[in-house]
Amino acid sequence: MTFSKHLLAWFDQHGRKDLPWQQQPTPFHVWLSEIMLQQTQVNTVIPYYQKFTQHYPDIQSLAQASLDDVLSLWTGLGYYARARNLHKTANIIMQEHNAEMPDTLDKLIALPGIGRSTAGAIMSLAYHQKCAILDGNVKRVLARYHRVSGWPGIKSVENQLWQYAEQHLPSKRIAHFIQAQMDLGATLCTRSKPQCDLCPLKEHCQAFLYDLPQNYPHSKPKKNIPTKQSHWLVLQLNAGEILLEQRPPVGIWGGLWSFPETDSPNNINDICTQEFNIEVSKITIEPSFKHVFSHFKLTVHPHLIQCSKADKKIAENNNACWYKISDALRLGLPAPVKSFLQSLQ
């Protein structure tokens, strides 16, 4: 138990104990924080978490909210499937679990958006059960401590790390131990420039003793990230209203409101006339900009289109709606769409 003993002693002195979700470690708050922290830094999450819990302090209020309102609070945090799954899972918990977060690993994993590591965090941090986690920080700590070769995205490597994660679980203070693992990875055992001299595990860390910690875990094999082009049709009436359409519930920006778009700028007038029955009076090409997703880069070319006449019923048939900009900014919007609307204000 050398690993847990040294780590807990370090946590007592140096661990983070003032994070917002640590003040109310209920199953709901642990679940919400873990979902928000997936692929996102703590400092980025804190203001979103605080605002989100002000609106939705529990599972019931989240389940009763509209998806549009939930996505609106999520705007800018990215990976919007997380928000959609939160809302979906809250409703399942209300309907099938009497508004109580399940208290077994298997039942938690059965819920949308909750994987083995998130379930383990809820079980250990909220229910104080002996369950392991394997988030990015813990993977890095264990891969270095045991000098595990390979990229953790490979199933065999991940399984090996899970074995180590469970092997090191102490019989007492499980919540503190789980938090200590995450804290060590976030503060000392960082991806680059780890502070090994301050690490409580350095005397037994295999990467520190026999290699370079920065070499572990192995990086994901690089792929060429494609660049795609999109032409936004920013349709605006003389009164200032903007046309937005709701994207399909799955896929990029699923369920969010965005501008109509096309792959080619050559058919803009035809789209405006045929799809939305709009009379175009002026088209201004705005400066292009880039937006980066996890698996491709998007170059956006906004076309500001002044409309002298529009059939609003046609828009509704296309899952679209005309909004005043002030009203549109309260919808669930992708971050670049929100920024562009703010610039129009």
Side-chain angles (χ1 to χ4, degrees), residues 18-30:
D18 57 354
L19 296 173
W21 42 88
Q22 292 176 318
Q23 311 315 307
Q24 285 184 297
T26 66
F28 171 73
H29 290 92
V30 171

Side-chain angles (χ1 to χ4, degrees), residues 10 21 27 29 43 58 66 76 90 121 124 128 136 223 249 268 277 287 297 304 336:
W10 172 84
W21 42 88
H29 290 92
N43 289 338
D58 51 34
S66 71
S124 58
H128 298 275
K223 290 184 178 179
I268 288 178
N277 195 20
K297 298 176 182 177
L304 183 57

Side-chain angles (χ1 to χ4, degrees), residues 183-199:
D183 287 358
L184 187 73
T187 61
L188 295 185
C189 195
T190 52
R191 185 177 288 108
S192 60
K193 298 181 181 179
Q195 301 178 61
C196 296
D197 289 342
L198 302 176
C199 180

Side-chain angles (χ1 to χ4, degrees), residues 145-344:
Y145 188 82
H146 291 282
R147 203 178 171 200
V148 176
S149 298
W151 174 49
I154 299 171
K155 196 63 179 176
S156 59
V157 178
E158 183 186 30
N159 289 341
Q160 189 176 5
L161 292 174
W162 270 115
Q163 290 177 1
Y164 286 130
E166 293 179 336
Q167 170 187 315
H168 289 302
L169 290 175
S171 56
K172 297 179 180 179
R173 299 187 65 191
I174 188 65
H176 286 170
F177 173 76
I178 294 298
Q179 186 64 51
Q181 284 184 297
M182 294 188 287
D183 287 358
L184 187 73
T187 61
L188 295 185
C189 195
T190 52
R191 185 177 288 108
S192 60
K193 298 181 181 179
Q195 301 178 61
C196 296
D197 289 342
L198 302 176
C199 180
L201 304 177
K202 65 180 180 181
E203 291 183 6
H204 301 279
C205 176
Q206 299 299 293
F208 176 71
L209 294 173
Y210 304 111
D211 203 334
L212 287 175
Q214 295 93 317
N215 292 339
Y216 300 87
H218 291 180
S219 300
K220 181 179 180 179
K222 288 187 177 181
K223 290 184 178 179
N224 290 327
I225 300 178
T227 298
K228 300 181 181 181
Q229 310 290 323
S230 178
H231 294 266
W232 281 358
L233 310 184
V234 186
L235 299 154
Q236 187 169 31
L237 296 176
N238 291 333
E241 292 174 301
I242 294 285
L243 184 69
L244 294 174
E245 60 182 11
Q246 192 168 31
R247 297 179 68 90
V250 295
I252 298 299
W253 294 337
L256 301 181
W257 290 83
S258 185
F259 302 111
E261 56 186 84
T262 179
D263 295 331
S264 171
N266 299 322
N267 59 352
I268 288 178
N269 275 300
D270 290 341
I271 292 175
C272 293
T273 302
Q274 296 171 12
E275 293 191 21
F276 298 104
N277 195 20
I278 288 170
E279 291 184 9
V280 176
S281 58
K282 182 181 179 182
I283 299 178
T284 304
I285 300 176
E286 298 290 323
S288 301
F289 63 89
K290 297 184 184 298
H291 186 76
V292 179
F293 294 93
S294 59
H295 54 293
F296 72 92
K297 298 176 182 177
L298 182 68
T299 301
V300 177
H301 309 277
H303 300 261
L304 183 57
I305 304 169
Q306 298 296 332
C307 309
S308 57
K309 183 181 179 182
D311 187 338
K312 293 190 175 182
K313 289 184 179 179
I314 295 290
E316 293 174 4
N317 293 337
N318 284 274
N319 209 30
C321 192
W322 292 93
Y323 286 102
K324 294 179 181 178
I325 293 179
S326 57
D327 293 332
L329 289 171
R330 290 195 285 267
L331 298 171
L333 304 168
V337 172
K338 184 174 184 178
S339 297
F340 193 86
L341 284 173
Q342 289 170 333
S343 72
L344 291 180

